[in-house]
């Protein structure tokens, strides 16, 4: 996001904030960037244009952070 000029903030958030977010994703080494579509039986928005932009940016940029193993 920073390289693309998108402002980001890392902080703890409440469960209520997650329920009402325009998008939620989980990240990890193997899962990369995975949209969260449901929390506690509540549907979470995952087709918001900003969320789709972030996912596309991740897919485009992730390889630049990888190191080739030979």
């Amino acid at each position: 996001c920073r390289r693309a000029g998108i402002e980001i903030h890392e902080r703890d958030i409440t469960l209520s904030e997650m329920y009402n977010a325009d998008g939620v994703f989980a990240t990890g080494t193997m899962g990369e960037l995975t949209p969260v579509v449901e929390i506690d039986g509540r549907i979470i928005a995952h087709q918001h244009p900003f969320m789709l932009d972030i996912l596309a940016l991740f897919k485009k940029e992730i390889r630049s952070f990888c190191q080739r193993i030979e």
Side-chain angles (χ1 to χ4, degrees):
C1 288
R2 286 186 185 112
R3 286 175 27 173
I6 300 170
E7 184 177 347
I8 63 170
H9 302 275
E10 292 183 44
R11 65 177 177 86
D12 292 336
I13 62 172
T14 67
L15 192 53
S16 179
E17 287 176 294
M18 290 196 350
Y19 292 152
N20 294 299
D22 291 331
V24 175
F25 60 83
T27 187
T29 303
M30 297 302 289
E32 294 188 344
L33 197 63
T34 304
V36 174
V37 298
E38 183 178 316
I39 299 173
D40 294 338
R42 296 177 190 220
I43 302 300
I44 304 300
H46 60 280
Q47 295 297 318
H48 188 279
F50 185 69
M51 183 70 171
L52 297 175
D53 288 347
I54 295 295
L55 292 169
L57 178 63
F58 179 84
K59 185 175 181 178
K60 177 183 166 200
E61 297 290 329
I62 189 60
R63 297 291 176 232
S64 70
F65 293 100
C66 297
Q67 187 175 45
R68 184 178 174 97
I69 298 175
E70 296 184 37

